[in-house]
Amino acid sequence: MYQKILIANRGEIAVRVIRACRELGVRTVAVYSEPDHDALHVRLADESEAIGPAKAAESYLNVQAILGAATRHHVDAIHPGYGFLAENSHFAAVCKTWGLDFIGPEPETIERMGSKTAARQRMQQAGVPVVPGTPGACSEEEAVAFATEAGFPVLIKASAGGGGRGIRVAQTPDELRAAFGSAAREAAASFGSPELYVERYLSSPRHVEFQVLADRHGHVLHLFERDSSLQRRRQKVLEEALSPRLTPRLRAEMAAAAVAAARAVHYVGAGTVEFLVDGDDRFYFLEMNTRIQVEHPTTEMITGIDIVKEQIRVAANEPLRIGQSEVEARGWSVECRINAEDPDNRFAPSPGTITRWSPPAGPWVRVDDGAYPGYTVQTHYDSLLCKVISWGRDRPEAIARMSRALAEFEVEGIRTTLPMHRRILADPDFLAGLYDTGWLENTFMARGAQRA
Ligand code: ADP
Ligand code: ADP
Ligand code: MG
């Protein structure tokens, strides 16, 4: 096992990784930007080092500064968390040349899955169904030809996109043509590649993703699924494990496809295979995220497996110590992402100093956060402030616990998405498990507007 790990991240995920290291008896090194000098991840780590100013490009994305800190602190490995450098195959490769383990899959795997077009091709070869679309990156003419043949509406997607960005809907050939050029320019500017492709826009799908875990000794496990269909602007808001949408039979089929997907790219570590499920129980590979995910705690709650610890163990070459038949899904778990955003003002970022911070506790409630009273929320970074996760013997109990927990939660000084979560948890459609990827924005938000 490693002696010391550097965590190349901030906020709740840096704290989460430090906690796993502590339990494993591994020392930790935090890195931080100027405004983060007093952040929780810095306080909790054994050692820390400043790596630059607030701007992420000059700190949390500053490869030279991070590797410099890793060398000075004599670490064995780097954990990238999610976002920032987590899916940067170049960074993963450079770590190797510096004699450091990157806690994640091989650089080639990250690269192969980082391009949505390359990933789709690989999955088709492996027999995993993908959303019908152009065979690879396409020109405007090829996009129009595909859409005319397959039918509108279609989505234009950036091959290198992520975080819900770089996706556009086109209802007609004219819309498709009008959007294509600017989408390519935007993709080049945001993701460093102008490559676009087009796929069918499924109406009212569910987003269901499978957590996988694989070691360097040929073992691949799935840890069941999460439903991440509650989204705003294609970004996840609330997740649950399991998915109320799946039948046991569909669950088994999708789990097998997720394991096949991981095997096809010789996956090592923790990863997520994302699928869309349509109204006829057909499922389609969407993408694979080659990192720890925001919503991983829900899976930890139902399986009892510490995914971050396993991620570190397999990076250190240890074999997984359990087989598939020992992975059991017990009960139900829900996660609410609490963002520093103002739900009454089109979810505008709400930076500022937290004057009161009283997170919930009590039976079967977990809070993953990086905040505390007096903490100042920055505009430079992701607005995710905290995650509340509940467990119950069944879905109604997990939801009731979450409602109780959010009722206890007090935050003052900034605006948060807490009020929206409280309303979702009381919504009859949500309680019945009847929602799709469009429900939150189209049905739920429209109801709020009517009431206001
Ligand atoms: P998850 O599937 O874990 O919920 P998200 O899509 O919410 O992941 O992304 C987690 C974090 O990673 C967010 O901060 C998001 O903005 C960031 N992220 C994901 N993909 C990319 C990307 N391709 N480029 C930049 N940031 C990304
Ligand atoms: P990202 O890399 O940004 O996470 P994804 O391909 O995972 O992009 O898609 C993000 C979300 O966009 C999905 O969860 C879903 O809500 C929506 N989406 C993506 N592709 C489709 C599609 N073909 N049809 C309908 N919705 C889609
Ligand atoms: Mg995705």
Side-chain angles (χ1 to χ4, degrees):
M1 181 42 70
Y2 301 125
Q3 299 290 310
K4 206 192 277 185
I5 292 175
L6 180 143
I7 297 102
N9 216 301
R10 66 182 302 281
E12 67 86 18
I13 194 63
V15 171
R16 169 72 188 90
V17 175
I18 291 168
R19 286 175 170 153
C21 290
R22 201 45 47 101
E23 290 180 26
L24 288 169
V26 175
R27 285 183 68 80
T28 51
V29 180
V31 290
Y32 59 94
S33 66
E34 273 163 27
D36 275 347
H37 69 275
D38 204 21
L40 198 58
H41 75 284
V42 180
R43 295 187 190 181
L44 290 180
D46 296 306
E47 300 167 27
S48 62
E49 188 168 322
I51 47 163
K55 254 179 102 176
E58 293 164 32
S59 50
Y60 297 105
L61 291 170
N62 184 342
V63 172
Q64 287 307 314
I66 291 168
L67 292 172
T71 311
R72 280 187 289 281
H73 289 264
H74 306 289
V75 308
D76 308 304
I78 297 188
H79 195 301
Y82 55 70
F84 297 127
L85 297 167
E87 287 170 285
N88 184 321
S89 59
H90 171 71
F91 178 67
V94 172
C95 284
K96 256 192 188 176
T97 65
W98 283 53
L100 299 162
D101 279 4
F102 173 85
I103 300 176
E106 291 298 315
E108 299 74 44
T109 308
I110 300 176
E111 188 164 340
R112 202 172 275 161
M113 290 316 221
S115 156
K116 289 183 197 277
T117 46
R120 284 163 52 85
Q121 283 165 2
R122 193 74 200 78
M123 290 305 109
Q124 279 179 295
Q125 287 164 11
V128 177
V130 303
V131 182
T134 54
C138 69
S139 65
E140 187 177 318
E141 286 318 310
E142 287 164 340
V144 173
F146 166 81
T148 308
E149 168 94 37
F152 282 89
V154 293
L155 285 183
I156 308 172
K157 284 192 176 181
S159 285
R165 293 171 306 131
I167 300 179
R168 296 192 192 192
V169 190
Q171 304 282 352
T172 64
D174 284 349
E175 272 184 33
L176 182 52
R177 286 184 193 282
F180 205 86
S182 64
R185 281 190 297 277
E186 206 181 283
S190 312
F191 311 114
S193 157
E195 234 181 70
L196 301 177
Y197 73 103
V198 166
E199 65 184 32
R200 255 188 54 214
Y201 185 43
L202 304 180
S203 76
S204 320
R206 294 287 283 233
H207 174 121
V208 179
E209 57 189 36
F210 276 74
Q211 175 73 53
V212 296
L213 207 49
D215 65 16
R216 285 187 209 286
H217 307 272
H219 306 116
V220 183
L221 300 176
H222 76 81
L223 306 186
F224 296 96
E225 83 277 8
R226 300 182 284 258
D227 199 311
S228 298
S229 303
L230 285 168
Q231 303 178 355
R232 192 184 149 265
R233 300 173 135 204
R234 308 188 206 291
Q235 288 171 5
K236 301 161 189 172
V237 168
L238 181 159
E239 302 95 347
E240 51 184 324
L242 302 166
S243 167
R245 169 70 178 79
L246 296 196
T247 56
R249 182 177 157 183
L250 194 50
R251 176 169 297 124
E253 283 175 25
M254 291 178 72
V259 169
R263 283 199 187 284
V265 291
H266 309 290
Y267 201 80
V268 173
T272 298
V273 185
E274 296 188 334
F275 296 100
L276 292 179
V277 180
D278 73 11
D280 297 320
D281 277 6
R282 277 177 305 217
F283 64 89
Y284 307 91
F285 170 85
L286 194 55
E287 65 160 348
M288 180 164 191
N289 290 327
T290 56
R291 54 171 162 88
I292 191 75
Q293 260 181 309
V294 174
E295 56 273 27
H296 77 276
T298 54
T299 301
E300 296 186 327
M301 297 292 252
I302 60 161
T303 60
I305 294 173
D306 185 319
I307 298 170
V308 178
K309 282 207 266 191
E310 291 306 323
Q311 212 186 4
I312 296 170
R313 287 194 180 108
V314 301
N317 232 347
E318 289 183 18
L320 289 169
R321 293 156 305 167
I322 50 168
Q324 187 66 64
S325 61
E326 291 154 278
V327 182
E328 272 181 87
R330 197 170 152 266
W332 206 272
S333 180
V334 176
E335 172 183 274
C336 293
R337 296 190 188 201
I338 312 302
N339 286 29
E341 291 171 2
D342 184 354
D344 294 330
N345 182 22
R346 296 150 152 237
F347 297 86
S350 180
T353 299
I354 298 177
T355 51
R356 183 172 167 75
W357 181 257
S358 180
W364 287 281
V365 169
R366 164 175 167 181
V367 178
D368 278 21
D369 64 1
Y372 49 86
Y375 173 80
T376 299
V377 177
Q378 307 289 324
T379 42
H380 305 279
Y381 312 114
D382 197 284
S383 63
L384 181 67
L385 197 59
C386 160
K387 307 181 309 204
V388 183
I389 305 105
S390 71
W391 183 86
R393 290 176 67 93
D394 52 24
R395 188 170 185 265
E397 190 178 40
I399 293 172
R401 280 214 171 102
M402 181 62 83
S403 298
R404 183 272 292 169
L406 296 196
E408 286 174 20
F409 204 160
E410 290 180 316
V411 186
E412 285 168 21
I414 55 161
R415 303 297 304 267
T416 75
T417 51
L418 266 170
M420 174 183 66
H421 281 287
R422 293 187 183 119
R423 284 208 293 128
I424 295 172
L425 292 167
D427 189 283
D429 289 349
F430 174 73
L431 292 171
L434 296 174
Y435 58 85
D436 57 42
T437 54
W439 179 83
L440 188 72
E441 268 181 319
N442 304 329
T443 309
F444 176 79
M445 302 265 186
R447 260 181 223 159
Q450 259 171 11
R451 254 202 330 222

